[in-house]
Amino acid sequence: MCGIMGFSGHEAQNSVEIVLGGLKSLEYRGYDSSGIAYFDLKGGKIKSVKKSGKLVNLSNEVNGNGKVKSDTAIGHIRWATHGKPTDINAHPHLDCSGKIAIVHNGIIENHVSLKNALAKKGHRFVTETDSEVIAHLIEDFIREKKTFYEAVRLTSLRLEGAFAILALSADEKSVAAVKFGPPLVIALKNGNFYAASDVSPLIEHTQDVIYLKNSEIAYFQGGKLSVGTFSGRKVSRAPVRIDWDSSRAAKSGFSHFMQKEIFEQPSCLLDTFSSRVSAGGRKGGLKVSLEGIKLTGDDISGASRIVFVACGSSYYASLASKYVLEKICGLPSVVEYGSEFRYENFPVLKSDIFVGVSQSGETADTNSALELARSEKAKVVSITNVPGSQITALSNRGVIYTHAGPEIGVASTKAFTTQLLCGVLLSLYIREKSGFIPEGGLNLEELFKDLVDLPKKAEEILFMDDAIKEIAKKYYKSANFLYLGRGILYPIALEGALKLKEISYIHAEGYPAGEMKHGPIALIDENMPVLFLLSKNMLSSKTISNMEEIKARGGKIIAVADYEPEIEGISDLIRIPETEGILSPVLYTIPLQLFAYHIAALKGTDIDQPRNLAKSVTVE
Ligand code: F6R
């Protein structure tokens, strides 16, 4: 939700090019308007250009008069919260003197009172945004003869809400980067300073980055970087090495990032489990080691339940993990929406183990729920794809990284399937520590074999791409879809329906197959395609009865199954490889991603940047 990027070069003059390039990598975070501010080397002033619409509008405008030379620039890509996505409301925002420019990701909750107070002192506001107050507040402190750094620090103390800010001072020729809530990553390489909302724009310049912590300010002037806290204490922050290479953030011949990311899944799945699972545990079969997870045997034996907290696709991954956990650990678990949790009087127990699941690690709803759980002394573990993201700081019992690499397509694909796998790994870890023996046992040797085969089976499904595209051609004009599954496949039905909604704008709903007869069956007629997920070993006869109910009412049936179901009248069957039940959600997800992708491509929607969405939702 909004992305910011800044560059200040020691002797460079291509800051505008670098920042525009960086915003391109951040475009998934917001894409309704964008802007850039840079030092004009001739006049010593700040120039700013802002455009509504996609980033290309800004790039055309900036480059319209030839290459701009400047050593320092900050830029912003917006997903509007306060004020429409117009040119004027786009960031950067300047103060009255035009000597200070800011870009902001987040929300300033007390902007109205700040704005009223500043307006009384003569500050002129020109936008409808909450962010503009930041520039004027910094200016106000400078009028009181504070240095730019001090003015930024004092401003940070006055702001309420969530903010990652980059600020430029024309007088001091310096840049400040402020973090409180949304992420901000900085780097220093060869005397050049970089700052961005995430690492994707930085990795082509350097792999050594510093994740600013909350209440920290980085200040860069004359080739020198310093970091301090809002309270004025200097801190020393060592860089961490990111092993994502820049080619992983490029489309590499695919038509869309989403398509590329769907096809990356076999290797991502391998990265997720390969260094963590090995053959031959205590009782033979399989051993899981989750580096960084600090849940003790006592934490686990003392817990009466596991509480998952997540939003969107991550919520559905959590629902699937609940099935796994209950099946193999016998530990009850609940799954809560991050967006509801804080307002529903959920009784947090000290003994609870919370698992926050978030691809971005930045989702405000999920993180606020985890903060609440922590304040009640619960144990918190998280599953995320982004090192150093905010959720990692909230996880007092450690983090499981999904290792999916950068996910640029706004609709989650590889992050989702790797979350599913991390749910299995966490469950195995808990099972091992608790010594629980599930009813009917758990054949760890078989499970290990299936785990090792999982990437290959995912690959086999990707080979069905053309066949799935042909099926999509039959249905892309439908106005509604139903996705049905039972047990652990129900969350995957939800995820399949969400994918279709997000990128094709077709209305789709996921339901437990057995719930159809309790109402939704009224929707069925010959215009309603119904996509069933079914597995030979999971209540298949009951699901087949549900198919009969649809057939009897003229609905068209598409089936994704790991066997040939004994029922006539399936219009289209996508036959996928068999695997162990707790791993099956991973395989069932992939055809649904391809189906949604092809339907969206046939409809010609903006697949990587669907309307109204943003990759990470850092506001509540
Ligand atoms: C769906 C999707 C969203 C996210 C949700 C939570 O494709 O991407 O539903 O899953 O906004 O985001 P994270 O996982 O970053 O917390």
Side-chain angles (χ1 to χ4, degrees), residues 311-314 357-360 363 410-412 419 498-499 502 617:
C311 296
S313 289
S314 301
V357 183
S358 171
Q359 171 278 131
S360 62
T363 301
V410 164
S412 186
Q419 281 173 349
L498 179 63
K499 277 308 77 109
E502 283 181 300
V617 186

Side-chain angles (χ1 to χ4, degrees), residues 69-148:
K69 288 190 176 169
S70 172
D71 58 2
T72 302
I74 56 174
H76 186 270
I77 187 103
R78 182 165 186 241
W79 186 88
T81 53
H82 291 67
K84 292 199 182 81
T86 56
D87 286 1
I88 191 93
N89 286 335
H91 300 215
H93 300 298
L94 270 67
D95 69 332
C96 301
S97 70
K99 291 179 174 177
I100 292 161
I102 67 98
V103 288
H104 165 226
N105 171 27
I107 281 194
I108 305 302
E109 285 166 0
N110 58 340
H111 71 279
V112 175
S113 58
L114 288 173
K115 186 171 173 176
N116 291 341
L118 287 162
K120 277 195 193 131
K121 291 167 117 179
H123 290 266
R124 293 179 319 278
F125 287 82
V126 291
T127 77
E128 300 160 325
T129 67
D130 55 333
S131 311
E132 193 185 356
V133 290
I134 302 168
H136 292 281
L137 200 50
I138 296 173
E139 178 186 29
D140 212 57
F141 283 115
I142 285 177
R143 284 183 188 171
E144 291 172 14
K145 306 279 176 263
K146 303 287 187 225
T147 62
F148 177 58

Side-chain angles (χ1 to χ4, degrees), residues 6 46 52 122 147 195 200 228 280 319 330 393 399 405 447 459 508 566 593 597 600-601 614:
I46 292 176
S52 61
T147 62
S200 54
L319 280 181
V399 181
L447 180 61
E459 196 89 58
E566 283 168 15
Q593 296 168 341
Y597 173 79

